[in-house]
Amino acid sequence: MRLVRLVVTVGLVCSLWSGQAVQAADASVTPPSLPPIARLIIEPAVITLDGSGSLVTPLITGEVTADQQIDLTSRAKLESLSPTVFTVDTHGRLRGQDDGTGTLRISVAGKQLDVPIVARNMRLPRQFHFDNDILPILSKFSCNMSGCHGKAEGQAGFKLSVFGFDPRADHQALTQESRGRRINPVVPSASLLLTKASGGIPHGGGVRITKSSEEYRTLRDWIVAGMPYGSDETPRVVAVRVTPHERTLAMRDVQQLRVTARYSNGFEADVTHHARYQSNNEAVAKVDEFGLVTGGDVPGDVAIMAAYLGEVDVFRALVPRSELLTAQSSQPVLNLIDGHIDAKLSKLRIESSPLCSDADFVRRVYLDVIGTLPTASEAREFLASQDKDRRLKLVDALFQRPEFADYWALKWSDWLRVDRQALGHDGAYRYYKWIHDSFAKNVGLDQFAKELVAGQGLLADHPAGHFFKVVKDAGEMSSTLSQSLLGIRIDCAKCHHHPFDRWSQDDYYGMQAYFTGVRFKSTSRGEMLLASAGGVSQNPRSGLKIFAHPLGTSNPEAAPTGDPRLAFASWLVAADNPFFARNIVNRAWAHLLGRGIVEPLDDVRLTNPPSHPELLTALSKDFIDHKFDFRHLLKTIIASRTYQLSAAVTPTNTTDEQNFSRAVLRRLDAEVLLDAICQTTNIPEKFDGVPAGSRAIQLWDSQVPHYFLGIFGRPVRSTPCDCERAGTPNVSQVLHVLNSPEIQAKLTHDAGFLAELAQRPGLTDKQLIDELYLTFFSRYPSDPEQTTAEKYLQAQADKRQAAIEDLAWSMLNSLEFVFNH
């Protein structure tokens, strides 16, 4: 293979393809020094320890000014001045010892504060309840997670329900299975439950608790008390609250969280020690098992989930850069988007990059809107234009191109699972054609969604009904539509309460009930989709009847009349629906900006909040006000300065990949990249069973065999998850573009663009190099690039076509070609 003789290691090429990596901060780094503290604030102001098992984690906050507070909990020295009444452990938790009142002395930052403590009901026998006292321990230490005893087959002969969704079965497994061998009521400390968890005997999960821990004490005392399950009348947890709810956190600084559970009888208890915590962005901030949040070295905002017994709440932290901005940016606000983005960047002390060049814009917008590179003549024409509105006029022109419907039909065919293997050739093509025609005609996405979920009749007349043949189970229908149209993953709530959100099994079966009446009937004119009245399902765990109802609402007293899908369709596209319009906006934003306002884009949940909630609300309202016009939505985002920013970094946004302060590099989709290679070489690809001349973005069948599309992450459409389309660069991709005989054949083809260029009469070296750069990069070469290329052509004057092919090969393998930027 004739190639430019550039020695580049695979490792270097991979690092270039992957773009800039953001490293999470080391949580062990010393926090920043403290400013002068005006006063200490303790929460709660009066601490009450109620019952022998109660623990309280006080929060200690230092007030610097009326507008600035700093967490001092982990820095403070806590001392019990009344050790017979309460004690303080190494994690700063208070535990009652005997009824009475006492004093907690707090010393930190040169200040001292005494806090009154009340301990009561310490001498009453503890009334254990398995759900409230034992399940939190099993969940805290991941015993009932899918990687341990919660997986389908259990672990080492011991199985728990995943996430503790079936506590009675878990109680039986612990106390009765295997003839009760896991519990020793005669010698509680010899119980397998305790000896394995504490490391007394080998345990595949390692040491989970220590003998001196509160958890060990609770499990032992429960065994001593006879391993009771507890009364059905015992109050249950109905909500949790995390404190503080929001905080601005300096880089590498810390914030202790406090979690309070509210029970059905109104009682509240501190459950900080048994809550589970998870950060949605560890580069910005991490959280440990005790609820201590540590800021990283990457600016942004982060959501920390606190979960306890199926209830969740979220702490949000804003982590700005340590350095102040030297001057405020004076860049223009082009539409409703930029003000929201700028306000967030100002808080984070990040300056956005400047506007991109016309060359960057023309390439970017072609790829984003129609999945196609501009030709050299199209790029040249745009770069020569002096029209001040040229950028938005180009967007309008692209909407009219046939490639617009080709490209967006491809994307929605992924999400809505156009699958030839499930539907057959004719059915899959009709389903795809319905999607394609909808985008070609600019059908409002509200109408598009209603046709998808509520259509019935002959499939020949209502091809959207093929969705119900791909997804045949009512529960799968509801979960697939929830994920694709609402951005919400409810599938795991089929078996248990969603571990990271508020959705219960009743929510899952309420959505399933909309589709229980869907069926197909064969007729002389073809298959017919029917939907009978019904709208009822049953929670298999509780046995209760669940009537069709939308997410976020309670189980009604009766099912909707008639076809319940009609009620679902009406709710789906209603202006006050909190999910549908926001999901479409988020999908469009993620496509154009490289990541969603909610990321991942189809994982909307309480514990994964939007990075810019006000912006998401404003764009959703605008989308609804314009009758769910998808082209209007795309143009609104493209018209913003935010979309048109350069990918070049500033000193303040080098590590920012979350807050839209610059364009991020995005590897081209498999089909788009293959089409780009074919277009730039002018040698089309021939796909098996597909008419000659078809482009990759026109492939409605994701099963068409093709090695290139496979290694570059084409989805198989087995799920609606956007994650099926792999966008992460890998070594196989690098090696293929470097060494592929098929790509080399396109570069050297006698009827290809490069051969024609070499033979074009009267073409100077400068003109030839301009044509190459316009073809591959949609821009003119810089002076150094022009000089280097001219020298190479002159040095290879006797092998001119080979030299042109070498230059083209080097361009095709560059980051600039493989990525959108």
Side-chain angles (χ1 to χ4, degrees):
M1 183 182 295
R2 297 191 301 271
L3 304 176
V4 177
R5 301 300 184 245
L6 300 175
V7 179
V8 183
T9 66
V10 169
L12 176 58
V13 174
C14 287
S15 68
L16 288 174
W17 272 34
S18 62
Q20 295 175 339
V22 176
Q23 300 295 324
D26 182 358
S28 64
V29 175
T30 304
S33 58
L34 291 174
I37 304 298
R39 69 184 182 105
L40 299 179
I41 303 171
I42 310 302
E43 185 181 343
V46 177
I47 298 174
T48 300
L49 297 162
D50 194 346
S52 59
S54 63
L55 293 173
V56 170
T57 302
L59 292 185
I60 301 130
T61 302
E63 185 176 87
V64 180
T65 66
D67 299 323
Q68 184 182 3
Q69 295 181 337
I70 296 176
D71 178 57
L72 301 175
T73 306
S74 61
R75 297 178 172 96
K77 175 184 177 183
L78 277 62
E79 179 184 2
S80 173
L81 301 185
S82 313
T84 59
V85 177
F86 74 97
T87 57
V88 183
D89 70 11
T90 56
H91 299 294
R93 302 179 297 189
L94 313 186
R95 188 181 197 278
Q97 300 296 318
D98 200 358
D99 290 356
T101 58
T103 302
L104 171 69
R105 175 158 294 170
I106 299 172
S107 304
V108 64
K111 294 187 177 298
Q112 191 175 92
L113 185 67
D114 290 345
V115 180
I117 305 293
V118 177
R120 64 191 183 198
N121 298 323
M122 292 297 157
R123 300 179 186 180
L124 296 177
R126 185 172 179 181
Q127 300 298 311
F128 285 98
H129 192 284
F130 186 79
D131 292 23
N132 292 341
D133 299 308
I134 308 304
L135 265 187
I137 298 175
L138 299 178
S139 298
K140 174 72 176 180
F141 296 104
S142 304
C143 307
N144 56 18
M145 300 301 170
S146 56
C148 196
H149 298 288
K151 60 186 178 183
E153 67 276 17
Q155 182 82 2
F158 177 35
K159 182 179 181 337
L160 294 169
S161 63
V162 65
F163 305 123
F165 81 92
D166 192 348
R168 288 199 176 273
D170 294 341
H171 180 265
Q172 182 178 358
L174 277 170
T175 61
Q176 298 177 37
E177 279 185 3
S178 300
R179 291 177 288 184
R181 65 187 288 267
R182 299 184 180 99
I183 302 293
N184 187 338
V186 179
V187 186
S189 60
S191 300
L192 280 178
L193 175 64
L194 289 173
T195 54
K196 281 205 166 190
S198 63
I201 60 175
H203 176 222
V207 177
R208 307 305 294 157
I209 59 176
T210 63
K211 289 186 176 182
S212 61
S213 68
E214 185 64 33
E215 291 76 21
Y216 184 95
R217 185 205 304 258
T218 297
L219 292 172
R220 184 197 62 201
D221 291 352
W222 174 67
I223 296 171
V224 171
M227 304 90 67
Y229 185 85
S231 169
D232 290 342
E233 304 302 317
T234 300
R236 305 299 176 91
V237 173
V238 295
V240 296
R241 181 181 72 254
V242 63
T243 309
H245 212 256
E246 294 181 345
R247 184 63 53 94
T248 297
L249 188 65
M251 286 184 172
R252 299 180 297 281
D253 206 354
V254 295
Q255 172 66 56
Q256 176 64 50
L257 303 181
R258 182 172 185 265
V259 183
T260 305
R262 180 165 56 83
Y263 290 78
S264 53
N265 63 351
F267 178 76
E268 292 192 346
D270 186 320
V271 295
T272 307
H273 51 296
H274 282 154
R276 293 183 296 111
Y277 304 96
Q278 180 177 306
S279 169
N280 76 338
N281 192 334
E282 292 199 347
V284 177
K286 296 180 179 181
V287 62
D288 71 10
E289 61 181 313
F290 302 105
L292 183 67
V293 179
T294 304
D297 287 321
V298 175
D301 66 74
V302 63
I304 305 292
M305 176 196 75
Y308 182 78
L309 289 181
E311 301 297 327
V312 295
D313 197 12
V314 173
F315 162 73
R316 296 198 67 173
L318 188 77
V319 182
R321 290 175 56 255
S322 302
E323 302 83 6
L324 296 175
L325 287 175
T326 55
Q328 291 296 320
S329 172
S330 60
Q331 297 193 62
V333 173
L334 300 185
N335 66 10
L336 63 91
I337 292 171
D338 298 327
H340 291 286
I341 297 296
D342 290 348
K344 177 79 170 289
L345 293 177
S346 178
K347 292 179 182 178
L348 294 170
R349 303 169 187 167
I350 295 174
E351 183 180 12
S352 62
S353 297
L355 284 173
C356 67
S357 66
D358 276 349
D360 284 342
F361 179 83
V362 68
R363 185 178 191 274
R364 182 187 303 174
V365 79
Y366 263 78
L367 290 171
D368 283 341
V369 175
I370 63 173
T372 303
L373 280 176
T375 64
S377 60
E378 289 168 341
R380 183 182 289 107
E381 180 182 355
F382 182 81
L383 296 178
S385 174
Q386 298 299 311
D387 189 334
K388 61 183 179 62
D389 296 323
R390 59 187 175 278
R391 293 192 175 190
L392 295 188
K393 286 182 178 178
L394 174 60
V395 176
D396 288 330
L398 292 176
F399 288 155
Q400 306 308 315
R401 295 269 296 261
E403 295 96 332
F404 176 79
D406 293 342
Y407 189 37
W408 286 98
L410 173 72
K411 297 188 74 67
W412 278 89
S413 293
D414 293 344
W415 297 330
L416 298 180
R417 299 178 59 181
V418 175
D419 184 356
R420 176 181 55 80
Q421 291 185 332
L423 296 173
H425 184 282
D426 290 345
Y429 180 72
R430 288 194 187 102
Y431 185 23
Y432 164 82
K433 189 69 164 52
W434 169 75
I435 297 172
H436 185 280
D437 289 350
S438 297
F439 281 92
K441 297 173 183 175
N442 197 29
V443 172
L445 286 193
D446 56 338
Q447 183 62 33
F448 175 82
K450 288 170 71 174
E451 287 183 33
L452 177 71
V453 304
Q456 60 177 311
L458 290 171
L459 289 182
D461 299 329
H462 302 280
H466 284 92
F467 167 80
F468 296 101
K469 288 187 68 67
V470 176
V471 185
K472 299 179 180 180
D473 173 76
E476 193 179 1
M477 291 172 190
S478 65
S479 60
T480 299
L481 290 171
S482 294
Q483 190 164 346
S484 57
L485 299 183
L486 305 176
I488 298 174
R489 303 177 185 181
I490 63 168
D491 195 48
C492 64
K494 177 179 182 180
C495 300
H496 52 78
H497 194 290
H498 195 300
F500 307 127
D501 210 344
R502 60 191 183 275
W503 310 126
S504 67
Q505 283 185 287
D506 285 355
D507 291 309
Y508 175 88
Y509 288 101
M511 290 288 283
Q512 181 198 67
Y514 282 115
F515 305 98
T516 53
V518 173
R519 60 190 177 90
F520 287 90
K521 178 182 178 180
S522 296
T523 74
S524 59
R525 298 171 59 195
E527 267 194 301
M528 176 178 286
L529 169 64
L530 302 173
S532 58
V536 183
S537 60
Q538 186 177 47
N539 185 323
R541 183 167 162 235
S542 67
L544 295 176
K545 276 188 176 181
I546 307 298
F547 298 107
H549 63 278
L551 290 173
T553 63
S554 57
N555 189 24
E557 296 182 358
T561 58
D563 181 356
R565 296 180 307 148
L566 297 175
F568 177 75
S570 296
W571 168 79
L572 180 68
V573 300
D576 59 352
N577 184 314
F579 306 117
F580 176 69
R582 293 165 70 90
N583 170 58
I584 302 301
V585 167
N586 193 52
R587 286 180 183 272
W589 183 277
H591 173 76
L592 294 172
L593 276 299
R595 64 173 286 128
I597 299 174
V598 176
E599 182 70 23
L601 63 84
D602 52 7
D603 193 13
V604 174
R605 50 186 161 84
L606 176 67
T607 55
N608 186 37
S611 60
H612 298 74
E614 295 84 4
L615 171 59
L616 184 57
T617 299
L619 279 174
S620 300
K621 182 180 183 303
D622 183 70
F623 181 48
I624 294 169
D625 290 345
H626 285 83
K627 303 185 184 305
F628 298 89
D629 184 333
F630 189 61
R631 296 182 185 181
H632 169 80
L633 172 61
L634 292 179
K635 187 174 179 180
T636 300
I637 299 173
I638 293 170
S640 69
R641 189 188 80 250
T642 302
Y643 173 81
Q644 298 180 44
L645 292 177
S646 168
V649 299
T650 69
T652 66
N653 71 7
T654 303
T655 60
D656 177 40
E657 295 186 353
Q658 178 191 26
N659 301 292
F660 313 110
S661 62
R662 58 181 169 86
V664 296
L665 301 185
R666 295 169 279 147
R667 204 211 67 204
L668 301 185
D669 291 340
E671 297 89 344
V672 175
L673 180 56
L674 180 57
D675 281 347
I677 292 171
C678 295
Q679 177 177 317
T680 52
T681 59
N682 199 28
I683 300 298
E685 191 76 359
K686 178 62 179 75
F687 301 100
D688 292 347
V690 178
S694 297
R695 302 178 64 228
I697 63 168
Q698 296 174 310
L699 293 178
W700 55 268
D701 180 11
S702 64
Q703 303 299 325
V704 171
H706 199 278
Y707 180 75
F708 183 99
L709 297 179
I711 66 170
F712 276 88
R714 176 183 59 177
V716 296
R717 299 178 180 169
S718 61
T719 74
C721 186
D722 188 67
C723 59
E724 270 204 24
R725 180 172 289 280
T728 305
N730 58 54
V731 173
S732 296
Q733 296 167 3
V734 176
L735 292 176
H736 185 76
V737 179
L738 281 169
N739 302 299
S740 166
E742 292 80 10
I743 293 177
Q744 176 68 4
K746 291 180 185 295
L747 290 166
T748 59
H749 200 290
D750 290 341
F753 165 67
L754 301 180
E756 184 274 326
L757 197 62
Q759 297 162 17
R760 192 178 298 178
L763 195 67
T764 66
D765 285 353
K766 182 183 185 310
Q767 291 171 330
L768 183 149
I769 295 164
D770 284 350
E771 196 71 14
L772 283 175
Y773 270 81
L774 287 166
T775 298
F776 283 89
F777 299 151
S778 308
R779 65 174 176 86
Y780 290 99
S782 65
D783 289 342
E785 289 169 333
Q786 182 78 40
T787 300
T788 301
E790 285 182 358
K791 286 182 178 178
Y792 186 77
L793 288 175
Q794 291 164 8
Q796 304 290 325
D798 57 335
K799 297 181 291 184
R800 185 172 177 79
Q801 181 168 332
I804 295 171
E805 292 166 3
D806 289 345
L807 288 174
W809 176 87
S810 66
M811 292 179 182
L812 190 144
N813 274 278
S814 69
L815 181 147
E816 186 173 357
F817 182 79
V818 176
F819 282 76
N820 194 354
H821 47 82

